[in-house]
Amino acid sequence: MSDTRVAGSCLCGAIRFRIALPTLFCGHCHCTICQRSHGAAFVTWFAVPRSQFHLETGETGLVRFRSSDHGTRSFCGRCGSSLFCESSRHPDQVDVVLANMEAPIDRPPEAHLYFDDRAAWVKADDGLPRLGGGTGPEPIARDVA
Ligand SMILES: [Zn+2]
Ligand SMILES: [Zn+2]
């Protein structure tokens, strides 16, 4: 069988990690915190159980930033790559930026989250569910195409 582990790293390589499949979820996050912290229109994250996440190198170079009352984001202190998000709402899982992985994971993006907070220039016509609300994955009352 194929290896169920996938490696990832920051841009400069100081921080290396690996995750074990299967993942829990994958989706595009349009929240304003993701927009600012990544300098991007939206960020594609996936989640894994904490027990399937392993930081291999770079612990001392990983900078943690408390980005909300429940969330802590971490990035490489050398190159600035945004890497992980941990939330007290889901203490047993780690959110990982898909773009930092070195090989495919086990699922494609499944939904747009916080879609009602999206950047004005974003058009999403990929057919995926567009969710939002106060916590991100709630149905949006009005379809905001
Ligand atoms: Zn780096
Ligand atoms: Zn977000």
Side-chain angles (χ1 to χ4, degrees):
M1 279 305 289
S2 61
D3 196 344
T4 60
R5 297 179 302 172
V6 183
S9 68
C10 65
L11 177 61
C12 76
I15 293 166
R16 301 192 56 79
F17 60 96
R18 62 181 153 77
I19 60 102
L21 303 175
T23 61
L24 298 169
F25 177 79
C26 183
H28 305 299
C29 186
H30 295 262
C31 83
T32 55
I33 302 173
C34 281
Q35 291 179 35
R36 287 255 168 106
S37 81
H38 295 250
F42 59 89
V43 180
T44 309
W45 295 96
F46 68 90
V48 285
R50 188 174 293 281
S51 60
Q52 291 169 226
F53 174 85
H54 180 68
L55 188 65
E56 293 190 317
T57 61
E59 172 64 37
T60 57
L62 197 63
V63 181
R64 291 179 171 82
F65 173 68
R66 185 81 182 264
S67 55
S68 70
D69 61 351
H70 63 90
T72 299
R73 289 158 188 266
S74 46
F75 59 94
C76 174
R78 182 172 177 228
C79 71
S81 288
S82 296
L83 293 159
F84 316 118
C85 186
E86 295 161 87
S87 172
S88 58
R89 290 178 179 169
H90 316 286
D92 297 327
Q93 76 181 49
V94 179
D95 295 335
V96 179
V97 176
L98 180 60
N100 292 330
M101 304 311 292
E102 295 173 357
I105 62 168
D106 56 342
R107 69 182 74 224
E110 295 154 306
H112 294 274
L113 305 173
Y114 288 98
F115 193 68
D116 35 7
D117 291 332
R118 73 193 182 285
W121 63 88
V122 168
K123 294 273 185 278
D125 57 358
D126 54 12
L128 295 178
R130 294 181 287 197
L131 307 174
T135 65
E138 301 163 22
I140 301 176
R142 182 170 55 86
D143 192 21
V144 282

